[in-house]
Short mmCIF file of all heavy atoms in Angstrom, two decimals:
data_model
loop_
_atom_site.label_atom_id
_atom_site.label_comp_id
_atom_site.label_asym_id
_atom_site.label_seq_id
_atom_site.Cartn_x
_atom_site.Cartn_y
_atom_site.Cartn_z
N LEU B 85 -19.77 -1.05 4.18
CA LEU B 85 -20.40 0.17 4.68
C LEU B 85 -19.49 1.38 4.45
O LEU B 85 -19.92 2.44 3.97
CB LEU B 85 -20.73 0.00 6.17
CG LEU B 85 -21.33 1.21 6.88
CD1 LEU B 85 -22.67 1.59 6.27
CD2 LEU B 85 -21.49 0.94 8.37
N LYS B 86 -18.24 1.19 4.77
CA LYS B 86 -17.25 2.26 4.57
C LYS B 86 -17.22 2.66 3.09
O LYS B 86 -17.21 3.84 2.74
CB LYS B 86 -15.89 1.70 4.99
CG LYS B 86 -14.70 2.61 4.86
CD LYS B 86 -13.47 1.80 5.30
CE LYS B 86 -12.19 2.58 5.25
NZ LYS B 86 -11.04 1.70 5.61
N TYR B 87 -17.27 1.65 2.24
CA TYR B 87 -17.26 1.86 0.79
C TYR B 87 -18.49 2.64 0.33
O TYR B 87 -18.39 3.56 -0.48
CB TYR B 87 -17.18 0.49 0.11
CG TYR B 87 -17.83 0.38 -1.24
CD1 TYR B 87 -17.13 0.74 -2.39
CD2 TYR B 87 -19.13 -0.09 -1.37
CE1 TYR B 87 -17.74 0.63 -3.64
CE2 TYR B 87 -19.74 -0.20 -2.61
CZ TYR B 87 -19.04 0.17 -3.74
OH TYR B 87 -19.63 0.07 -4.96
N LYS B 88 -19.65 2.30 0.91
CA LYS B 88 -20.87 3.00 0.48
C LYS B 88 -20.78 4.49 0.79
O LYS B 88 -21.21 5.33 0.02
CB LYS B 88 -22.10 2.38 1.18
CG LYS B 88 -22.51 1.06 0.56
CD LYS B 88 -23.96 0.71 0.86
CE LYS B 88 -24.11 0.12 2.24
NZ LYS B 88 -25.44 -0.43 2.50
N VAL B 89 -20.20 4.78 1.97
CA VAL B 89 -20.04 6.19 2.36
C VAL B 89 -19.05 6.89 1.42
O VAL B 89 -19.33 7.98 0.91
CB VAL B 89 -19.57 6.29 3.83
CG1 VAL B 89 -19.26 7.73 4.19
CG2 VAL B 89 -20.64 5.72 4.75
N LEU B 90 -17.92 6.25 1.19
CA LEU B 90 -16.91 6.84 0.31
C LEU B 90 -17.49 7.10 -1.08
O LEU B 90 -17.27 8.14 -1.69
CB LEU B 90 -15.70 5.91 0.19
CG LEU B 90 -14.78 5.80 1.41
CD1 LEU B 90 -13.87 4.58 1.27
CD2 LEU B 90 -13.94 7.06 1.58
N LYS B 91 -18.23 6.12 -1.56
CA LYS B 91 -18.80 6.22 -2.91
C LYS B 91 -19.76 7.40 -2.99
O LYS B 91 -19.73 8.17 -3.96
CB LYS B 91 -19.54 4.91 -3.25
CG LYS B 91 -20.07 4.87 -4.66
CD LYS B 91 -20.71 3.53 -4.98
CE LYS B 91 -22.04 3.38 -4.28
NZ LYS B 91 -22.75 2.15 -4.68
N GLU B 92 -20.60 7.55 -1.98
CA GLU B 92 -21.60 8.64 -2.01
C GLU B 92 -20.92 10.00 -1.91
O GLU B 92 -21.28 10.94 -2.63
CB GLU B 92 -22.57 8.43 -0.83
CG GLU B 92 -24.01 8.74 -1.16
CD GLU B 92 -24.46 8.19 -2.49
OE1 GLU B 92 -24.52 6.95 -2.67
OE2 GLU B 92 -24.73 9.01 -3.39
N VAL B 93 -19.93 10.09 -1.03
CA VAL B 93 -19.19 11.36 -0.89
C VAL B 93 -18.52 11.69 -2.22
O VAL B 93 -18.56 12.83 -2.69
CB VAL B 93 -18.16 11.26 0.27
CG1 VAL B 93 -17.18 12.44 0.24
CG2 VAL B 93 -18.88 11.21 1.61
N ALA B 94 -17.91 10.68 -2.83
CA ALA B 94 -17.21 10.91 -4.09
C ALA B 94 -18.18 11.31 -5.20
O ALA B 94 -17.94 12.24 -5.95
CB ALA B 94 -16.44 9.65 -4.50
N ARG B 95 -19.32 10.63 -5.25
CA ARG B 95 -20.29 10.91 -6.31
C ARG B 95 -20.74 12.39 -6.24
O ARG B 95 -20.79 13.08 -7.26
CB ARG B 95 -21.52 10.00 -6.13
CG ARG B 95 -22.51 10.09 -7.28
CD ARG B 95 -23.82 9.38 -6.94
NE ARG B 95 -23.67 7.97 -6.66
CZ ARG B 95 -23.62 7.01 -7.59
NH1 ARG B 95 -23.71 7.33 -8.85
NH2 ARG B 95 -23.48 5.75 -7.25
N LEU B 96 -21.01 12.84 -5.03
CA LEU B 96 -21.44 14.24 -4.87
C LEU B 96 -20.29 15.20 -5.18
O LEU B 96 -20.51 16.27 -5.75
CB LEU B 96 -21.96 14.46 -3.45
CG LEU B 96 -23.25 13.70 -3.11
CD1 LEU B 96 -23.51 13.73 -1.61
CD2 LEU B 96 -24.45 14.28 -3.86
N ALA B 97 -19.08 14.79 -4.83
CA ALA B 97 -17.93 15.67 -5.07
C ALA B 97 -17.68 15.84 -6.57
O ALA B 97 -17.38 16.94 -7.03
CB ALA B 97 -16.68 15.11 -4.39
N TRP B 98 -17.82 14.77 -7.33
CA TRP B 98 -17.64 14.89 -8.78
C TRP B 98 -18.64 15.89 -9.35
O TRP B 98 -18.36 16.64 -10.27
CB TRP B 98 -17.85 13.54 -9.49
CG TRP B 98 -16.81 12.48 -9.28
CD1 TRP B 98 -16.99 11.29 -8.66
CD2 TRP B 98 -15.44 12.49 -9.72
NE1 TRP B 98 -15.81 10.55 -8.67
CE2 TRP B 98 -14.85 11.27 -9.31
CE3 TRP B 98 -14.64 13.42 -10.39
CZ2 TRP B 98 -13.52 10.94 -9.57
CZ3 TRP B 98 -13.30 13.09 -10.64
CH2 TRP B 98 -12.75 11.87 -10.24
N ASN B 99 -19.87 15.87 -8.78
CA ASN B 99 -20.93 16.75 -9.30
C ASN B 99 -20.92 18.14 -8.68
O ASN B 99 -21.83 18.92 -8.92
CB ASN B 99 -22.31 16.14 -9.02
CG ASN B 99 -22.48 14.80 -9.69
OD1 ASN B 99 -21.81 14.53 -10.70
ND2 ASN B 99 -23.32 13.95 -9.14
N ASP B 100 -19.95 18.40 -7.82
CA ASP B 100 -19.89 19.69 -7.12
C ASP B 100 -21.12 19.94 -6.26
O ASP B 100 -21.55 21.09 -6.09
CB ASP B 100 -19.74 20.86 -8.12
CG ASP B 100 -18.32 20.94 -8.64
OD1 ASP B 100 -17.40 20.73 -7.84
OD2 ASP B 100 -18.14 21.19 -9.84
N THR B 101 -21.73 18.89 -5.74
CA THR B 101 -22.93 19.09 -4.93
C THR B 101 -22.76 18.51 -3.52
O THR B 101 -23.75 18.25 -2.83
CB THR B 101 -24.16 18.41 -5.59
OG1 THR B 101 -23.82 17.05 -5.87
CG2 THR B 101 -24.55 19.10 -6.88
N LEU B 102 -21.50 18.33 -3.13
CA LEU B 102 -21.27 17.69 -1.83
C LEU B 102 -21.77 18.55 -0.67
O LEU B 102 -22.45 18.06 0.21
CB LEU B 102 -19.78 17.37 -1.66
CG LEU B 102 -19.38 16.70 -0.35
CD1 LEU B 102 -20.10 15.38 -0.16
CD2 LEU B 102 -17.88 16.47 -0.26
#
Side-chain angles (χ1 to χ4, degrees):
Chain B
L85 177 62
K86 179 182 181 183
Y87 150 85
K88 283 201 280 189
V89 173
L90 287 165
K91 184 176 73 174
E92 219 44 66
V93 168
R95 188 191 299 277
L96 294 167
W98 290 116
N99 299 336
D100 284 320
T101 53
L102 180 59

